[in-house]
Amino acid sequence: MSKRNILVTNALPYANGPIHLGHLLGYIQADIWVRFQRMRGNNCSYVCADDAHGTGIMLSAEKAGVSPEEFIDTVNQEHQRDFADFLVDFDIYHSTHSEENRAFSSLIYERCKANGHISQRNITQLYDPEKGLFLSDRFIKGQCPKCKAEDQYGDNCEVCSSTYNATDLINPHSTISGATPIEKESVHFFFKLPDFTDFLKQWTRSGTLPTQVANKLSEWLDSGLQEWDISRDAPYFGFEIPGELGKYFYVWLDAPIGYMASFKKLCESRDDLNFDDYWDKDATTELWHFIGKDIINFHALFWPAMLKTSGFRTPTAISVNGFLTVNGQKMSKSRGTFIMAETYKQHLNPEYLRYYFAAKLSSNPDDLDLNLEDFIQRVNSDVVGKVVNIASRCAGFINKGFDGKLSAEISEPELTSECQQAAAEIAELYEQREFSKAIRLIMSLADKANQYIAEKTPWALAKENPQAVEVQNICSTGLNLFRLLIIYLKPVLPELTKQVEEFLNIPVLQWQDAEHLLLDHPINRFKPLMTRVESTKVDAMVEASKASLNTQGNAQDSTQNNTSENEAAKIDSPLANDPISDEIEFPDFAKIDLRIAKIIKAEYVEGADKLLKITLDLGLNAKGEQQIRTVFSGIKSAYKPEQLNGMYTVLVANLKSRKMKFGVSEGMILAAGEGEDIYLLEPHKGAQAGLRIT
């Protein structure tokens, strides 16, 4: 089999805060795949970088009292430390704020422009006259133009769920300086994405993407693509657009170009790599992107279109991972489940997390839940109880009774042969990124190995004669089975594998090593390889995560890039942590008709950053007719649609329907909390749809 030449990239983390467990999901997934490819003998380069541009970084640096360059350099070092702690083995970890990236960004822009795919037009935005800065919606607050609620953001009201333009706010102010924004016109540059509709319809169905991702993209393609605003006005931390004074590339334009820049930098230090072999439009090498599902539109629409028209190749495949939840809920600072990589490392072995993620990851962009109780049980049962236990049960007898030398033959050839033959199936599962299936197969083999040892009871035989040949054969068989399991687990547990290689006195393990056994071979004295997960350490990690909230203010609550343009999701409940509102009389309260409602369907709203569309069942009316309501609720940041289906909640049933940009909202469901901790109000178990709350 000829060697494959593969370039793997990971989504670039935003250089505005530390790495957390949600980020690590995608990086560990990619690292496992890369390590597997290298074990198979393929040439696999692995690159990443910090996404280092944008308004958010500029403002964070200013707040910290340092230059943006100093700020991103510090974050870059922290990110590299965190990835190294979790054994994510990049060939290079670069930054989008590099001369390589500046050159490629300018080149691609100029080629897009020369091919007629760049347009420009005037747009009107709100402007902070004191800061001298155009303001995105998240930097503007004011009074809702619909319900007059105070302190609302520039695009959506938390109280009445209305959507509007920032220019419609009453008494708006900049959250940066407090100044009253003014309207100001500016020229912006756009990438003409609709020009590539036909190309993208074909490309997204070419097998490059998971089917369900391609299906989602087809919704956007069929509804009509829009031109993409690729410019921002000074002041802005980024690259200035060639020939356009005071105009900068929007961070999301140069972010994916960072893949090319990072690889170019790597090629400069490696004689065996040539940039054009991997990025030329006729390249026969493979290009794989590993990203989170929140940034699929940039990677599967804008990116391939830009590459196509600028004369570069498009990706071979895009692997998409879902979000991480902890204990079935969104990561939460108040619950201590918004866990930083550094905090985890202070309490637990990173390979515990690598194994748990692998045991649950598939090739689909499904969300993954880190259930901490299951985490403890699974790692202890599988890695420690099933795999490491084999070595600990067998090694002592070999060391003591046979001078640390394995036998020249094994006592169970059929079992060892079965374990060896499984290599092909396990390899195919790794190749297809079906890691959870690979782990299940590996653990089924571990069960058989443990059953074999339990049936042969070498400890009982050794009591009668510690130097019996049968004892040596049984334990040598057990250690050979252990070695095969470690080969299969090496992409997931590289540090454990290094310890095993030293213990077994063998060279660095490769995949093809499963084809032969260790016979008549000396081993070293056994040392404990991995200890059990202690629940007290997990609890301490959770408590430390709560305690560190004040020092982690910049943490990004996403698995992937959170650029400065992204906005925090808002909620229906206006009370959260606000002062108690003015008193009302009971007759006023009595006018509110609160009803128990069952959520029969929840779904994302295309084009809405914060809203979910909720279909509610209010039970039967007096005529025996089923009452169905539709509500748009700003709870997308806290809930996924599948979490809500079948759930009961409380509806303000007599709230006047409101026509919104995305449809008519027929009431309001009640929620409490703010920021990332939003909770729908749920009635006591047994409550039925339609009951009025009195």
Side-chain angles (χ1 to χ4, degrees):
M1 182 183 295
S2 61
K3 289 186 178 181
R4 294 158 60 188
N5 296 301
I6 310 168
L7 172 58
V8 173
T9 77
N10 253 136
L12 312 185
Y14 197 47
N16 202 19
I19 300 298
H20 58 68
L21 299 196
H23 291 123
L24 284 171
L25 177 62
Y27 300 99
I28 288 174
Q29 181 184 36
D31 182 78
I32 291 171
W33 197 76
V34 168
R35 287 178 181 274
F36 165 73
Q37 296 299 341
R38 290 170 175 169
M39 282 188 73
R40 296 278 278 179
N42 294 320
N43 299 317
C44 190
S45 301
Y46 185 23
V47 305
C48 194
D50 271 348
D51 181 5
H53 288 155
T55 305
I57 286 174
M58 181 179 70
L59 295 174
S60 293
E62 182 179 304
K63 184 177 180 181
V66 298
S67 69
E69 289 81 2
E70 291 175 300
F71 184 85
I72 63 173
D73 283 347
T74 299
V75 173
N76 187 279
Q77 293 171 23
E78 293 172 350
H79 285 181
Q80 291 198 54
R81 175 205 65 201
D82 290 340
F83 287 130
D85 283 345
F86 284 80
L87 309 173
V88 178
D89 189 21
F90 299 117
D91 287 294
I92 187 173
Y93 192 86
H94 204 28
S95 169
T96 58
H97 191 64
S98 68
E99 287 307 310
E100 295 87 4
N101 203 24
R102 184 193 300 274
F104 279 119
S105 296
S106 297
L107 175 65
I108 288 175
Y109 169 78
E110 294 287 10
R111 289 182 177 179
C112 290
K113 183 178 179 181
N115 291 332
H117 299 303
I118 301 295
S119 66
Q120 65 182 72
R121 59 178 178 272
N122 288 345
I123 66 169
T124 300
Q125 293 175 281
L126 289 182
Y127 182 82
D128 186 328
E130 291 188 14
K131 193 67 178 176
L133 182 72
F134 282 99
L135 299 170
S136 61
D137 291 341
R138 73 190 183 107
F139 294 129
I140 307 167
K141 279 192 172 183
Q143 192 175 2
C144 173
K146 306 294 177 64
C147 72
K148 306 303 186 288
E150 299 282 354
D151 203 35
Q152 301 305 308
Y153 283 99
D155 62 344
N156 177 271
C157 178
E158 294 176 342
V159 178
C160 68
S161 297
S162 297
T163 58
Y164 42 75
N165 294 321
T167 52
D168 296 330
L169 280 174
I170 301 170
N171 298 322
H173 66 273
S174 164
T175 62
I176 301 172
S177 70
T180 300
I182 61 174
E183 291 189 22
K184 189 173 181 179
E185 195 174 73
S186 175
V187 174
H188 273 230
F189 294 83
F190 296 82
F191 178 66
K192 297 164 72 173
L193 187 62
D195 293 353
F196 299 89
T197 299
D198 290 340
F199 161 70
L200 290 170
K201 284 184 176 180
Q202 181 276 326
W203 185 82
T204 56
R205 293 293 185 183
S206 65
T208 303
L209 299 164
T211 301
Q212 61 194 99
V213 172
N215 290 341
K216 179 61 181 177
L217 290 171
S218 69
E219 296 176 13
W220 296 338
L221 289 163
D222 292 342
S223 62
L225 299 173
Q226 303 297 314
E227 291 189 349
W228 180 35
D229 190 340
I230 61 169
S231 69
R232 293 295 184 267
D233 290 277
Y236 191 80
F237 183 59
F239 296 140
E240 198 164 19
I241 298 176
E244 306 296 342
L245 186 64
K247 304 293 181 181
Y248 290 77
F249 288 126
Y250 171 43
V251 57
W252 262 111
L253 181 133
D254 63 61
I257 295 173
Y259 302 143
M260 303 173 73
S262 299
F263 186 65
K264 180 68 172 179
K265 184 71 172 179
L266 178 64
C267 289
E268 292 172 0
S269 64
R270 292 264 299 270
D271 294 335
D272 60 322
L273 292 176
N274 180 279
F275 180 85
D276 291 338
D277 289 345
Y278 287 82
W279 287 100
D280 184 81
K281 61 182 177 64
D282 296 320
T284 57
T285 54
E286 299 177 41
L287 172 61
W288 286 71
H289 294 319
F290 281 74
I291 64 168
K293 66 182 180 182
D294 55 333
I295 54 175
I296 189 62
N297 56 334
F298 293 101
H299 285 79
L301 294 176
F302 305 124
W303 181 229
M306 286 196 305
L307 289 170
K308 176 73 173 177
T309 191
S310 58
F312 293 104
R313 59 93 51 81
T314 54
T316 305
I318 299 179
S319 180
V320 185
N321 65 270
F323 298 130
L324 180 71
T325 57
V326 180
N327 293 335
Q329 296 180 315
K330 188 172 180 282
M331 292 170 62
S332 164
K333 292 179 180 178
S334 64
R335 290 189 294 268
T337 56
F338 195 95
I339 302 166
M340 300 301 147
E342 185 179 18
T343 307
Y344 176 102
K345 178 66 164 52
Q346 290 170 356
H347 296 86
L348 296 168
N349 184 338
E351 288 198 298
Y352 295 158
L353 188 71
R354 288 179 64 97
Y355 179 80
Y356 190 79
F357 280 171
K360 302 190 77 173
L361 274 166
S362 73
S363 61
N364 294 319
D366 300 324
D367 293 347
L368 188 152
D369 183 53
L370 170 58
N371 181 287
L372 294 176
E373 289 186 8
D374 180 54
F375 167 76
I376 295 170
Q377 189 278 329
R378 186 174 298 219
V379 173
N380 288 344
S381 172
D382 289 2
V383 184
V384 182
K386 293 181 180 180
V387 178
V388 173
N389 186 51
I390 297 172
S392 63
R393 295 170 85 180
C394 296
F397 298 113
I398 298 295
N399 289 135
K400 293 177 184 178
F402 306 96
D403 296 324
K405 195 167 189 180
L406 300 178
S407 63
E409 60 182 54
I410 55 174
S411 62
E412 194 68 23
E414 289 186 5
L415 178 57
T416 52
S417 177
E418 178 186 352
C419 196
Q420 287 178 289
Q421 291 174 10
E425 183 178 355
I426 295 170
E428 182 60 23
L429 292 172
Y430 272 125
E431 178 65 44
Q432 299 301 325
R433 288 131 27 245
E434 296 293 348
F435 298 163
S436 61
K437 293 180 181 179
I439 294 297
R440 282 198 295 273
L441 178 51
I442 295 167
M443 287 305 135
S444 71
L445 296 172
D447 286 334
K448 292 180 180 180
N450 279 288
Q451 182 180 357
Y452 160 75
I453 296 168
E455 290 174 352
K456 295 296 183 179
T457 61
W459 47 88
L461 297 172
K463 279 185 179 181
E464 298 178 6
N465 181 3
Q467 295 181 321
V469 174
E470 188 178 3
V471 173
Q472 185 185 24
N473 288 345
I474 293 169
C475 292
S476 296
T477 300
L479 288 174
N480 268 282
L481 293 170
F482 168 71
R483 171 181 165 276
L484 291 169
L485 296 172
I486 291 298
I487 291 173
Y488 303 150
L489 287 170
K490 182 176 179 178
V492 180
L493 304 172
E495 190 59 39
L496 174 65
T497 302
K498 285 184 181 179
Q499 297 177 60
V500 172
E501 289 164 348
E502 182 179 351
F503 157 57
L504 292 179
N505 190 29
I506 56 176
V508 173
L509 286 167
Q510 302 299 332
W511 199 265
Q512 65 268 25
D513 290 334
E515 296 173 3
H516 66 268
L517 302 176
L518 285 184
L519 302 175
D520 197 22
H521 176 82
I523 63 173
N524 293 318
R525 191 163 296 278
F526 178 79
K527 298 176 183 178
L529 296 171
M530 183 177 283
T531 59
R532 294 171 61 84
V533 184
E534 298 177 24
S535 60
T536 54
K537 290 186 177 180
V538 174
D539 293 341
M541 176 186 67
V542 171
E543 287 304 311
S545 297
K546 293 178 183 177
S548 66
L549 297 187
N550 292 333
T551 64
Q552 305 288 3
N554 286 330
Q556 302 297 310
D557 191 6
S558 167
T559 56
Q560 302 295 343
N561 303 55
N562 282 313
T563 71
S564 60
E565 315 303 327
N566 288 352
E567 299 183 7
K570 308 187 191 87
I571 58 173
D572 287 337
S573 171
L575 297 180
N577 295 318
D578 297 336
I580 300 298
S581 305
D582 294 337
E583 291 184 350
I584 62 173
E585 299 291 338
F586 182 77
D588 295 319
F589 174 74
K591 294 177 182 178
I592 303 173
D593 188 350
L594 300 177
R595 300 290 179 111
I596 305 297
K598 181 180 180 181
I599 300 174
I600 56 177
K601 185 178 182 182
E603 54 193 310
Y604 291 115
V605 180
E606 186 175 350
D609 294 333
K610 309 164 187 69
L611 299 178
L612 292 180
K613 182 180 179 181
I614 313 293
T615 305
L616 301 159
D617 179 7
L618 283 174
L620 303 178
N621 61 18
K623 298 180 181 179
E625 301 167 332
Q626 189 177 28
Q627 302 176 91
I628 302 296
R629 295 280 187 92
T630 299
V631 169
F632 291 88
S633 180
I635 59 173
K636 183 178 177 181
S637 65
Y639 291 94
K640 296 180 287 295
E642 58 268 25
Q643 291 178 286
L644 297 173
N645 293 330
M647 182 176 171
Y648 286 82
T649 189
V650 178
L651 173 75
V652 182
N654 63 336
L655 184 67
K656 184 178 179 180
S657 296
R658 180 174 296 278
K659 186 176 182 180
M660 302 173 65
K661 175 182 177 181
F662 304 102
V664 177
S665 187
E666 303 170 303
M668 178 187 291
I669 56 176
L670 299 186
E674 64 178 348
E676 60 191 44
D677 293 326
I678 303 172
Y679 305 95
L680 281 187
L681 269 63
E682 294 184 73
H684 189 275
K685 292 181 179 179
Q688 297 180 349
L691 288 178
R692 182 171 185 177
I693 298 176
T694 58

